[in-house]
Amino acid sequence: MARVKLDLPEHFPYSTLIEIGIGHINYGGHLGNDSALTLAHEARLRFLRSLGFSELDIAGYGLIQTDAVLVYKNQAFWGETLVAEVTADEFSKYGCDLYYRFRQQSDGREVLHAKTGVVFFDYQNKKLAAVPAEFLNALGHSVPAV
């Protein structure tokens, strides 16, 4: 059986702590697959907030998630605290990939690697928007010449 491979960037400039709640646990007694994507969403919101943005307002544009990849490394259980790390990479004209690494805080074991593809969207005009210079600047990336 072919397995999905996800190569993570080396540098994750943002991290936050997220506790595994009872609502994240499935009938197997560990972190559910649906909740893994919810944790990525939470980490993304916190990452954007740390840059002064929200999913609906990044220099006037919103984000739309276009794809997601989840690779499970170890189980996680109720009450554990995860270190969630986030970075942006692989920029295109309209978007980028956001990468996530989740590790157990107490022993450092990796729990989950994830990637979500996002594009910027002008909700007022109902069309894709170029990656805002403000977003690139907040990340410390140079703005491409037009």
Side-chain angles (χ1 to χ4, degrees), residues 15 74 136:
S15 68
N74 281 291
L136 293 169

Side-chain angles (χ1 to χ4, degrees), residues 3-6 24 26 30-40 68-76 82 100 102 109-115:
R3 297 284 315 249
V4 173
K5 294 198 181 234
L6 179 60
H24 297 125
N26 66 15
H30 55 244
L31 177 66
N33 57 23
D34 56 333
S35 293
L37 198 53
T38 298
L39 293 179
V69 175
L70 300 170
V71 178
Y72 304 98
K73 303 307 236 175
N74 281 291
Q75 296 179 78
L82 302 181
Y100 313 82
F102 293 86
R109 73 179 151 79
E110 293 194 345
V111 171
L112 174 70
H113 293 173
K115 177 193 82 72

Side-chain angles (χ1 to χ4, degrees), residues 5-28:
K5 294 198 181 234
L6 179 60
D7 295 323
L8 296 180
E10 289 185 24
H11 183 64
F12 284 82
Y14 176 78
S15 68
T16 187
L17 299 178
I18 299 178
E19 186 173 328
I20 302 295
I22 194 64
H24 297 125
I25 302 303
N26 66 15
Y27 59 86

Side-chain angles (χ1 to χ4, degrees), residues 5-140:
K5 294 198 181 234
L6 179 60
D7 295 323
L8 296 180
E10 289 185 24
H11 183 64
F12 284 82
Y14 176 78
S15 68
T16 187
L17 299 178
I18 299 178
E19 186 173 328
I20 302 295
I22 194 64
H24 297 125
I25 302 303
N26 66 15
Y27 59 86
H30 55 244
L31 177 66
N33 57 23
D34 56 333
S35 293
L37 198 53
T38 298
L39 293 179
H41 189 194
E42 179 69 28
R44 179 173 60 251
L45 290 175
R46 293 181 189 187
F47 171 65
L48 292 171
R49 183 176 59 197
S50 78
L51 299 172
F53 304 122
S54 73
E55 283 188 319
L56 292 176
D57 187 9
I58 300 174
Y61 302 118
L63 285 182
I64 294 178
Q65 184 174 303
T66 58
D67 57 43
V69 175
L70 300 170
V71 178
Y72 304 98
K73 303 307 236 175
N74 281 291
Q75 296 179 78
F77 302 97
W78 174 76
E80 290 184 333
T81 299
L82 302 181
V83 177
E85 299 170 290
V86 184
T87 192
D89 204 358
E90 303 296 324
F91 285 86
S92 68
K93 179 177 180 180
Y94 297 110
C96 64
D97 287 333
L98 297 174
Y99 291 88
Y100 313 82
R101 180 172 51 205
F102 293 86
R103 295 179 289 110
Q104 217 298 336
Q105 182 186 28
S106 66
D107 63 12
R109 73 179 151 79
E110 293 194 345
V111 171
L112 174 70
H113 293 173
K115 177 193 82 72
T116 55
V118 295
V119 292
F120 290 85
F121 195 74
D122 179 343
Y123 279 94
Q124 184 175 1
N125 294 306
K126 308 269 190 264
K127 65 180 187 174
L128 289 175
V131 176
E134 294 88 342
F135 185 68
L136 293 169
N137 288 334
L139 295 170

